Structures are given as structure tokens and as C-alpha cells.
Amino acid sequence: MALVSTRSMLKKAQQGGYAVGAFNVENMEMVQAVIAAAQEMNAPVMIQTTPGTVRYAGLDLYYAMVSALAQKAEIPVALHLDHGESFEMARDAARTGYTSVMIDGSKLDFEDNIALTCRVVEAVGDTPVEAELGTVGGKEDDTVAHSVAYTDPDKAGEFAQRTGISSLAVAIGTAHGIYKGTPHLDVELLSRIREKVDIPLVLHGASGVPHDQVRECIRRGICKVNYATELRIAYSDGVKAYLNQKPEAFDPKSYGKAGRESVIALVKDRIALCGCQDKA
């Protein structure tokens, strides 16, 4: 089927008490893997590209790949710009055909974040917009390689109301990158945010977060869970294992297939974790 909007996809998840898995891809094999896994699990799925990925190959190339494969799939597939770093990138992604975009103004002050987000919402029309709100610091946390951020519930409510966004990425102790230990997410903070915000909530930086914490976040209102680093590792590990066994291999299709199979296994597991199996 054709690419679908994330608006109805996430609203359905919110009403059903599950989350949609959102998976960052880097190449054709990873796109194939995510859609194949979702097809096998009969699950809705979101495929995402980051600004770095977009700069590597272009919005139009990823749109063409994902839309071509989605046409052959029997499950809902959405294409999302993850962490859009500028107004222009978010606008161009929507114009290219991405079915939702994120504008990440989380490093700006509150009013500047609102202003940037409102510009994007107005520019992209019916395309759903995700934004992020969080302030770095506030708690000590030595389990991650980068500083963590936390979202103020009152500001989250105001932000959602003033911007008209379709979903909000909240900061409750996750961080992008690799965890040095076991993270402990502030699920009580998540519940307070949920009381103030009625649109779908998004959990970023889920790679490496223990499954029980992810499940608890979904129970408390998370409707979309982002995975990026784990997919990169899975693909690379699959390729490395193949080349270790067959160092003479020179056909990219052979080790690309190995990487693809590794990503399929991971995505199936994460779809089950999100509770969206058989929700297509």
C-alpha cells in the first residue's frame, strides 16, 4: 500500500495502549529488513532518516526506496524525518513526500523552540509534526555517554497547545548513543507529562533501555518508540560475522543479505516489545 500518515497510526496506538516501533535506516538493506519484519509481524511501522542520513544520500532517494517497498507491503508504512535540524530540512522532507517530520528545537530556549516549531507546522500543512522538549541537567546520571535531559510537564502542556504539533518527544532520562550502564528512566515524570499533554508521546533513545522500562513507558502513555543505534549495530555485526567466516567474499549482496537478516531479527523483537504485533 502507499505510504500512510503517522497521525492516524499514532492515534490508534494511543487508543489501543501500545506503541509503534520507529526504526532509523541507513541503506536499502535496512529498509528492506524493517518492512519485512513488520510484514511478518503484521504490524504498522515507521521508517526514519536522520539529518546525517539525509545528507549522505538525499531525501528523494530515501523517499523513493521506502515508497517503492511500501507499495508492495500489506501493512501500514510511514516515512518520518527524525531530528530535523532546520526549518528548511523539515519543509523539504514534507515536500518530498515524507508522511511526517520532526523539528528538533530542543536545544533552543522555550520561546525560540515554540517559534521554530510553529513555523514548521504552518509550512507543512497537513503533514504531522513531531517536536521535542527537554532541559539538560537537573539530575545526576552517569549511565550514558552524553548528558541527559528532562521535560517539564507544565511547559510540555503549554508547548503542545501553542504549537499545534501532532506528537511530542519527551525527555525522561534517555539519551542518544550507547549506555555505559543500566539507565533508569523517570516514569513518574512521564505520568505527570501525560496528565498535561493529550497528543501521542514519543520515547527517543530507546536503544539499550531495558525491556521492562520500555514496557512501563508504553503503559504510561508512550505511543512511539525510536530505535537507531541498535539497528546500526545489528547490521554491522551481521556483515562482520559473514566476512569473518568468508573473508574472500567480494559481492556486496552476500554480506548485505547477512546484515539484513540480522536487522530483521532485531526489529521483530522490538515490534513485539512495543506491543504492535497484529495491529496493522
Side-chain angles (χ1 to χ4, degrees):
M1 62 177 67
L3 289 171
V4 303
S5 170
T6 61
R7 193 186 309 277
S8 59
M9 185 183 283
L10 294 185
K11 282 292 187 182
K12 186 178 177 181
Q14 186 175 24
Q15 293 165 1
Y18 61 89
V20 174
F23 302 98
N24 287 33
V25 298
E26 306 295 337
N27 57 21
M28 180 187 74
E29 288 81 6
M30 293 176 78
V31 177
Q32 291 174 320
V34 172
I35 293 180
Q39 183 75 57
E40 187 171 342
M41 300 289 279
N42 190 34
V45 72
M46 291 178 63
I47 292 178
Q48 304 188 144
T49 58
T50 64
T53 306
V54 168
R55 286 192 293 271
Y56 181 70
L59 290 163
D60 53 351
L61 188 147
Y62 285 103
Y63 170 77
M65 263 196 306
V66 175
S67 60
L69 289 167
Q71 288 282 355
K72 301 176 182 179
E74 298 174 353
I75 45 93
V77 179
L79 177 59
H80 179 74
L81 175 67
D82 187 28
H83 286 287
E85 61 187 8
S86 67
F87 167 82
E88 290 78 14
M89 179 175 284
R91 177 202 61 197
D92 292 348
R95 289 178 176 176
T96 299
Y98 277 56
T99 55
S100 62
V101 298
M102 178 187 181
I103 182 65
D104 186 359
S106 60
K107 293 182 175 62
L108 303 175
D109 67 36
F110 186 64
E111 291 298 330
D112 288 342
N113 192 355
I114 286 177
L116 174 61
T117 303
C118 285
R119 271 190 80 201
V120 171
V121 169
E122 182 178 1
V124 302
D126 290 336
T127 303
V129 176
E130 176 185 324
E132 183 170 0
L133 185 65
T135 302
V136 174
K139 297 184 181 180
E140 293 296 324
D141 193 325
D142 61 358
T143 63
V144 295
H146 311 291
S147 56
V148 295
Y150 297 89
T151 299
D152 178 273
D154 291 324
K155 286 189 174 181
E158 180 184 352
F159 187 90
Q161 185 176 27
R162 290 176 61 186
T163 58
I165 54 173
S166 298
S167 58
L168 178 66
V170 296
I172 56 171
T174 52
H176 300 93
I178 301 298
Y179 286 91
K180 298 186 291 182
T182 302
H184 298 285
L185 306 188
D186 191 339
V187 294
E188 296 301 329
L189 174 60
L190 174 59
S191 290
R192 294 197 299 274
I193 296 169
R194 176 77 285 171
E195 291 174 357
K196 300 288 185 177
V197 180
D198 61 3
I199 59 174
L201 298 179
V202 180
L203 182 68
H204 280 213
S207 290
V209 175
H211 288 189
D212 61 335
Q213 293 191 44
V214 174
R215 291 190 192 97
E216 183 63 15
C217 287
I218 295 170
R219 191 183 74 80
R220 292 174 184 252
I222 288 293
C223 305
K224 172 179 177 257
V225 181
N226 284 20
Y227 291 100
T229 303
E230 287 183 346
L231 271 72
R232 294 171 179 170
I233 292 172
Y235 181 80
S236 299
D237 284 351
V239 172
K240 291 172 187 176
Y242 184 91
L243 292 176
N244 282 336
Q245 293 177 356
K246 299 182 179 182
E248 74 284 358
F250 62 87
D251 186 349
K253 294 189 294 296
S254 60
Y255 50 81
K257 181 179 179 181
R260 183 173 63 204
E261 292 301 316
S262 182
V263 174
I264 287 174
L266 174 71
V267 172
K268 286 171 60 179
D269 181 81
R270 298 304 182 263
I271 285 174
L273 173 62
C274 288
C276 57
Q277 183 175 0
D278 293 324
K279 303 295 186 182

